[in-house]
Amino acid sequence: MRIEAMEERTGTTEAGAAAAPLRRCIATGDSLPPERLIRFVVAPDGTLTPDIERRLPGRGMWLRADREAVAKAIAKGLFARAARASVSVPADLPLRLQSLLLQRIVDALGLARRAGQAVSGHDKVQEFVAQGRAGLLLLASDAGADARARIGGLARGLDVVEALDAFEQGAAFGRDRAVYVAVAPGSLARRLIIDSTRLQGLRGLPTASPEQV
């Protein structure tokens, strides 16, 4: 599955603007593009708050979207150290992060479907690809060997992500299951790659750096 690495120090957005500056992960010390991290702020009551969209006011703390990085930050009290203050970390933080990203992905898929920019099901995905309308394929993370073999024939150099299971993908299409999904290139596909890659990391699934679509 091909998701080529983004430039870590330079790059451009779809509009050609300079890429956002790198941010330092408080757990690993790595300097990475914001798309590969999760931003946190401390609420006025001292509660740690995930800022998935990177819009909340306040001094941000950045953490790699990775299961081990989250566990390390919690176990070693790295949020309080970075904030230089007492921080209340929600007991369900790892699951909360996954839930927030999952909802963003399902919402984006729903938007793409309603705009005619996404389809599900093998035959519809195959047609979408044949028409040259696909920029991204989503394969259910619990897909079997046959489905994985088929996606290889469909991909034809397209990016493929595997963050959601078939039931989760199906939710965006009003179906019980959706093993295959195709999305047209553009801002929604870009958002899906970024959020899916982060969710894969938090779920402990193999990941690759997101690229622009």
Side-chain angles (χ1 to χ4, degrees):
M1 304 303 176
R2 185 185 66 86
I3 306 179
E4 296 174 0
M6 293 174 60
E7 292 291 336
E8 290 198 353
R9 295 198 174 275
T10 61
T12 59
T13 64
E14 291 177 6
L22 303 182
R23 304 297 183 183
R24 185 173 180 273
C25 171
I26 64 172
T28 67
D30 297 332
S31 294
L32 299 167
E35 293 85 356
R36 295 174 61 186
L37 301 158
I38 295 175
R39 183 178 186 265
F40 296 84
V41 296
V42 180
D45 65 357
T47 301
L48 183 72
T49 304
D51 181 17
I52 299 296
E53 297 184 14
R54 310 194 297 273
R55 294 179 179 177
L56 295 178
R59 181 174 180 272
M61 296 173 284
W62 298 81
L63 186 65
R64 186 170 191 149
D66 176 85
R67 176 184 289 181
E68 293 183 359
V70 174
K72 179 179 179 180
I74 295 172
K76 295 186 175 294
L78 299 182
F79 292 111
R81 186 182 303 175
R84 299 179 182 177
S86 177
V87 176
S88 175
V89 179
D92 64 345
L93 181 62
L95 291 177
R96 184 176 300 187
L97 293 174
Q98 292 183 39
S99 179
L100 289 169
L101 283 169
L102 174 59
Q103 190 60 56
R104 276 177 57 85
I105 294 169
V106 171
D107 288 348
L109 281 175
L111 285 172
R113 175 183 61 81
R114 291 190 292 275
Q117 297 180 20
V119 296
S120 65
H122 180 271
D123 291 346
K124 289 184 178 180
V125 167
Q126 186 175 44
E127 182 180 4
F128 210 68
V129 172
Q131 293 172 346
R133 298 175 61 192
L136 169 67
L137 300 181
L138 282 73
L139 176 67
S141 58
D142 55 348
D146 289 347
R148 293 181 180 281
R150 290 188 188 126
I151 203 74
L154 289 173
R156 300 175 186 176
L158 297 173
D159 290 316
V160 180
V161 294
E162 304 177 41
L164 277 59
D165 63 31
F167 293 100
E168 291 167 339
Q169 291 189 166
F173 292 87
R175 305 174 52 172
D176 290 337
R177 292 170 54 84
V179 176
Y180 309 93
V181 173
V183 182
S187 59
L188 286 174
R190 170 65 176 159
R191 169 177 160 180
L192 283 164
I193 287 180
I194 292 171
D195 287 341
S196 294
T197 301
R198 292 196 290 178
L199 182 58
Q200 284 175 277
L202 293 172
R203 287 181 162 179
L205 300 171
T207 63
S209 301
E211 70 168 346
Q212 294 184 12
V213 174

